[in-house]
Amino acid sequence: MTIDSPVSEASSEFTHISVLSREVIAGLQIAPGKHYLDATLGGGGHSKLILEAASDTRVTGIDRDEQALVAAQSHLAEYSERLNFWQGNFAEYQPKEPIFSGIIADLGVSSVHLDHPERGFSFRHTGELDMRMDRRQTLTAAEVINTWKEQDLANLFFTYGEERLSRRIARQILNHRPLQTTTALAEVISKSVPPKYRYGRIHPATRVFQALRIAVNQEIKSLETFLQKAPTWLVPGGRIAIISFHSLEDRLVKHSFKESPLLQVITKKPITAQEDELATNPRSRSAKLRIAERIA
């Protein structure tokens, strides 16, 4: 196992349930001796399944989060000779030539990020407004919330969160600045919206927190770049499988696959979780899997 970018001594308490695992392995058509890219390594769940699916498979795993990479080294230690890790944004990765028979990218935020308050991703636990997947970067959610103009915040919440009350929420945020914690921000958002909205099916802060996370980590821009580059990393007949969790990402994946001159779409409609997975992993309910194949 080699690591192309230094990884700090982070906690290895990084567990994550990979969604649509059966569908990903079947869709990628894992074959013995082939090389695969896990572009969103996380806890290593999909990588482990690839390594177990056929003999002598190799995996390169990418993640922004040093904590994820440290954990994956531990979880996948028995496969160390068939693993290579790279820390960074998958949009910045570039192999020297097409080498992969399959690529998997799970675009969902890790449950570890949501469950660890100090990372600042969740409004259900008090923590600093951080939201950085790669903690080497400087931009945080606190900087966005406390320094951006009202119109810029409203545009952000509407564009990346599809939040229809974006202007009202942005106005109230400015009235209560500075805001330093996740729960303080969530409370301001809740008080900004009508009672019917406040006690609806999802928490009123959900879309704003999604938009903040996307902005802090430049997720849409990174995904656009990745979708342009990734097909060139596949050998002919190689497949790319991408799991998205909201409509912005799914639309990008759908149109990119369809418009790429290098790809043939395998999934005309996205694959979603079956009943047994929904019962054991509620997070899978919004997951959509699309697969395409590199044209020979």
Side-chain angles (χ1 to χ4, degrees):
M1 173 178 61
T2 59
I3 301 173
D4 294 317
S5 184
V7 179
S8 67
E9 293 296 328
S11 167
S12 61
E13 295 179 3
F14 199 108
T15 56
H16 178 69
I17 302 174
S18 299
V19 302
L20 297 170
S21 297
R22 293 168 300 193
E23 293 82 357
V24 166
I25 297 304
L28 287 179
Q29 298 182 330
I30 308 299
K34 301 299 183 180
H35 193 173
Y36 297 87
L37 175 67
D38 187 342
T40 51
L41 182 64
H46 284 122
S47 287
K48 185 175 183 180
L49 292 169
I50 292 170
L51 292 162
E52 291 175 340
S55 61
D56 299 325
T57 51
R58 290 176 294 140
V59 170
T60 292
I62 297 175
D63 208 286
R64 294 181 177 186
D65 193 327
E66 78 283 357
Q67 187 180 5
L69 291 173
V70 169
Q73 289 179 65
S74 175
H75 296 162
L76 302 174
E78 62 184 296
Y79 307 103
S80 59
E81 293 184 358
R82 295 194 273 144
L83 277 167
N84 180 62
F85 295 149
W86 189 84
Q87 184 182 358
N89 187 330
F90 60 16
E92 298 171 355
Y93 181 73
Q94 185 60 59
K96 295 180 181 179
E97 57 184 345
I99 58 173
F100 298 116
S101 295
I103 298 171
I104 170 63
D106 179 346
L107 304 178
V109 62
S110 168
S111 54
V112 168
H113 290 145
L114 296 174
D115 294 340
H116 283 63
E118 70 275 10
R119 300 304 298 269
F121 284 88
S122 174
F123 48 78
R124 302 190 185 279
H125 310 285
T126 300
E128 293 185 4
L129 282 167
D130 192 326
M131 297 195 188
R132 293 173 297 168
M133 292 182 179
D134 184 342
R135 288 183 284 189
R136 298 174 299 181
Q137 74 176 53
T138 57
L139 180 65
T140 66
E143 181 177 344
V144 174
I145 286 296
N146 292 308
T147 67
W148 284 24
K149 296 178 181 179
E150 179 181 333
Q151 187 61 52
D152 292 335
L153 287 175
N155 289 341
L156 170 63
F157 302 155
F158 183 79
T159 302
Y160 288 163
E162 299 179 299
E163 174 55 71
R164 62 185 180 86
L165 299 180
S166 59
R167 293 181 180 178
R168 179 187 299 204
I169 292 170
R171 189 176 309 117
Q172 288 304 311
I173 286 173
L174 260 71
N175 291 339
H176 289 82
R177 293 201 306 204
L179 293 165
Q180 300 299 338
T181 68
T182 53
T183 47
L185 174 59
E187 184 176 357
V188 169
I189 296 169
S190 293
K191 291 181 178 179
S192 303
V193 302
K196 181 179 180 180
Y197 197 81
R198 191 179 309 158
Y199 302 110
R201 185 175 59 85
I202 66 170
H203 192 285
T206 301
R207 296 183 179 91
V208 170
F209 271 64
Q210 173 183 299
L212 279 171
R213 192 197 78 228
I214 290 173
V216 168
N217 297 288
Q218 297 186 318
E219 293 179 28
I220 298 301
K221 181 179 179 181
S222 295
L223 178 59
E224 289 173 342
T225 301
F226 173 75
L227 289 169
Q228 291 174 357
K229 295 168 65 175
T232 68
W233 306 341
L234 289 167
V235 298
R239 290 189 169 190
I240 180 169
I242 299 184
I243 302 171
S244 60
F245 288 83
H246 56 77
S247 58
L248 293 174
E249 292 174 338
D250 183 56
R251 284 196 296 268
L252 270 177
V253 175
K254 176 183 177 180
H255 293 300
S256 179
F257 280 4
K258 184 178 180 180
E259 295 167 5
S260 173
L262 299 178
L263 296 176
Q264 177 182 347
V265 175
I266 301 299
T267 51
K268 301 301 182 184
K269 294 183 178 180
I271 297 171
T272 56
Q274 298 180 31
E275 290 298 326
D276 60 335
E277 182 171 8
L278 291 170
T280 58
N281 184 13
R283 176 179 173 268
S284 66
R285 69 182 181 276
S286 55
K288 294 182 178 180
L289 169 65
R290 294 186 184 272
I291 302 170
E293 183 175 298
R294 174 72 190 261
I295 297 171

